[in-house]
Amino acid sequence: QVQLVESGGGVVQPGRSLRLSCAASGFTFTTYGMHWVRQAPGKGLEWVAVISNDGSKKYSADSVKGRFTISRDNSKNTLYLQMSSLRAEDTAVYYCARFGCWGCGPDYWGQGTQVTVSS
Amino acid sequence: DVVMTQSPLSLPVTLGQPASISCRSSQSLVHSDGSTYLNWFQQRPGQSPRRLIYKVSNRDSGVPDRFSGSGSGTDFTLKISRVEAEDVGVYYCMQGTHWPPWTFGQGTKVEIK
């Protein structure tokens, strides 16, 4: 079955960096694009970044542009989110999610990993 | 960016009764390819989101047929024909026509009266 397992979250000071990983299994990773979506405490869903199945297309939200970088290693079936210059407002649960259709939204989501930015 | 507006934000419902959630977009979601990329997600308490409906009215595999989606242009609706206890949670609409960014509604919290 499809599994997406995020890791790498934790507590980090403002201005520092963190790298999230998402290990995929149960499907052919190279045929799906991937999103990162976050959810601040008690808030709704916010799209963060997306990458195409082959890594050739990447887009990110204005709120993270220039600070967060999405990437993938298809040889390891793993998605990444490199986060730098972290701010308090980046505190959220970060979900990785796969998609097969650019407009259809993610059809499978991971369980999420908590990122807390605090001094 | 396309703004998605849901109503109501809170929806108390009686078990077995119908429920309806509205989602409006700030511009038409008809794509140049002819499709309308309006999708619905359910997030049960303590769980990750789950997609229920894609492209307005297509139910995902395993989604009960009491869930249905409809609408066109800028106005869309998610209906639950008879609410069950397992339907409690927050429901989000999301547009995938004018990206980036992909944008979500604020969420509608469904609870049992």
Side-chain angles (χ1 to χ4, degrees):
Chain A
Q1 72 283 19
V2 174
Q3 280 203 310
L4 298 168
V5 180
E6 301 95 335
S7 61
V11 180
V12 60
Q13 293 179 328
R16 304 293 286 237
S17 299
L18 205 60
R19 188 179 81 159
L20 305 183
S21 300
C22 170
S25 61
F27 65 100
T28 304
F29 188 61
T30 53
T31 61
Y32 287 87
M34 299 293 295
H35 289 280
W36 284 101
V37 177
R38 69 184 180 183
Q39 187 168 36
K43 302 297 185 183
L45 301 172
E46 179 191 14
W47 172 77
V48 173
V50 69
I51 188 168
S52 60
N53 63 313
D54 62 359
S56 62
K57 298 182 183 66
K58 303 177 185 181
Y59 303 93
S60 59
D62 285 347
S63 58
V64 306
K65 201 162 289 183
R67 300 188 300 123
F68 290 11
T69 302
I70 189 171
S71 63
R72 62 190 294 160
D73 185 338
N74 283 349
S75 69
K76 296 181 178 179
N77 286 0
T78 302
L79 172 74
Y80 301 101
L81 185 67
Q82 179 67 49
M83 305 185 294
S84 61
S85 302
L86 281 161
R87 306 167 180 168
E89 54 264 35
D90 296 320
T91 294
V93 174
Y94 284 73
Y95 296 101
C96 67
R98 79 167 198 185
F99 70 92
C101 151
W102 282 88
C104 302
D107 62 349
Y108 277 94
W109 299 60
Q111 85 288 351
T113 187
Q114 175 72 49
V115 173
T116 302
V117 184
S118 172
S119 54
Chain B
D1 298 354
V2 177
V3 176
M4 306 299 292
T5 303
Q6 292 182 227
S7 64
L9 299 185
S10 178
L11 184 56
V13 294
T14 301
L15 287 173
Q17 293 300 302
S20 180
I21 300 170
S22 170
C23 175
R24 290 184 172 166
S25 56
S26 59
Q27 55 185 281
S28 174
L29 297 186
V30 179
H31 193 275
S32 56
D33 66 6
S35 292
T36 299
Y37 294 101
L38 186 284
N39 313 297
W40 290 97
F41 296 85
Q42 175 195 60
Q43 188 175 29
R44 291 170 170 153
Q47 295 188 12
S48 303
R50 164 200 185 194
R51 195 179 69 184
L52 298 177
I53 303 274
Y54 62 95
K55 291 199 291 184
V56 180
S57 59
N58 296 277
R59 257 192 318 273
D60 272 278
S61 175
V63 174
D65 61 7
R66 64 179 180 274
F67 289 93
S68 64
S70 63
S72 62
T74 61
D75 289 340
F76 303 91
T77 302
L78 176 70
K79 291 182 179 176
I80 310 174
S81 59
R82 294 173 306 279
V83 171
E84 297 189 6
E86 67 179 17
D87 301 334
V88 165
V90 181
Y91 292 78
Y92 297 91
C93 60
M94 187 213 84
Q95 69 85 22
T97 295
H98 304 287
W99 55 263
W102 286 256
T103 49
F104 292 90
Q106 317 97 301
T108 295
K109 186 174 184 178
V110 171
E111 57 184 11
I112 304 302
K113 279 183 186 175

